[in-house]
Amino acid sequence: MKGLIIAAQFLTRLPLPAVWVDDGAFARSMRWFPAVGFIIGALLAGVAALIGDPWMAALAVLVAWVGITGALHIDGLADLADAVGAGHRDPARLRAVLADPHVGSFGVVAIMLLLIAKLVLLHALLERGMILPLLLIPFAARIGPLAWARWLPPLHEGLGARFSAAIGVRHILLWGAVLLGCSWTMPMLLATPVLIALWALWIRQRIGGISGDGHGAGIELVEVALLALAAVR
């Protein structure tokens, strides 16, 4: 339970009791990331259920989504977009831009496109009364960091490196089994492992390893892809 609280404190801005954390406990908390996704999803589904108009509900859910997560993963997407956009094919330049905390033009465009895509896809779902995807998609997307931390080399001695030693195959298989059970009610969730694998392949080929920004960007992109799959079913 302590791990769940630590993971929720890291991934959300929800008010939670303070707990003492060392590096090992923080790294092990990644095992609870998918459970935090369930919590985020439950809150989003609750917001959607309170508002009748599809556009207003979509906007409220999007604002809640950003507010609950503190835009943590969006920041990673922006940093990665800046690095890829400005670094072109120069690995040293790419890594230097990735380490720069400032947001550039590529990052701003990436954030805008992501928010517009989520708003439109949320409207498409809520117009048809589809709230279940809001509950399950944040959970499914947060399985990704476990796989990326396990199978991708850390890009540097930062967040990615701390997580890599704390995740075992059994943790991924456990959450994979939960995902398989959830797919009984929403078969499009079976696309999640493919999306996670595609992001891993792109990150390895283009960046060379995983970092906190890579984890965040991957979560955001898997969420958008799953929203799109749910909206077109």
Side-chain angles (χ1 to χ4, degrees):
M1 187 56 69
K2 180 180 177 181
L4 176 60
I5 294 174
I6 296 170
Q9 285 179 330
F10 177 62
L11 294 180
T12 75
R13 294 297 179 267
L14 298 174
L16 294 164
V19 294
W20 183 84
V21 179
D22 59 20
D23 285 348
F26 180 67
R28 290 190 296 274
S29 73
M30 178 182 253
R31 302 167 186 172
W32 292 91
F33 278 17
V36 177
F38 268 129
I39 296 172
I40 295 170
L43 294 171
L44 298 180
V47 171
L50 292 174
I51 303 173
D53 179 76
W55 274 117
M56 293 300 295
L59 180 59
V61 170
L62 181 60
V63 171
W65 209 331
V66 174
I68 292 169
T69 60
L72 175 67
H73 310 314
I74 295 177
D75 178 70
L77 177 66
D79 288 343
L80 202 59
D82 279 332
V84 173
H88 298 290
R89 297 191 178 279
D90 181 348
R93 170 67 175 160
L94 188 150
R95 294 193 182 198
V97 176
L98 190 60
D100 187 340
H102 299 94
V103 177
S105 56
F106 289 103
V108 171
V109 171
I111 291 173
M112 291 178 61
L113 291 176
L114 176 83
L115 294 177
I116 292 171
K118 277 194 168 181
L119 180 64
V120 171
L121 293 170
L122 285 170
H123 172 263
L125 292 173
L126 296 175
E127 191 175 37
R128 287 180 278 167
M130 297 173 63
I131 292 181
L132 188 59
L134 304 185
L135 172 65
L136 298 180
I137 285 175
F139 148 71
R142 281 159 184 78
I143 297 175
L146 279 68
W148 301 324
R150 174 68 184 174
W151 285 302
L152 290 175
L155 192 60
H156 49 69
E157 293 301 319
L159 190 59
R162 274 188 281 174
F163 285 145
S164 62
I167 300 302
V169 173
R170 67 184 186 280
H171 304 119
I172 299 171
L173 292 176
L174 171 64
W175 288 114
V178 178
L179 179 72
L180 186 62
C182 293
S183 67
W184 185 260
T185 58
M186 191 179 298
M188 45 75 58
L189 289 175
L190 293 174
T192 303
V194 177
L195 296 171
I196 289 173
L198 288 174
W199 182 245
L201 289 172
W202 186 87
I203 279 284
R204 188 172 190 109
Q205 182 180 35
R206 193 71 176 83
I207 309 295
I210 194 72
S211 65
D213 289 329
H215 284 301
I219 288 173
E220 290 291 346
L221 294 176
V222 171
E223 284 182 342
V224 169
L226 290 176
L227 284 171
L229 289 173
V232 300
R233 63 184 285 267

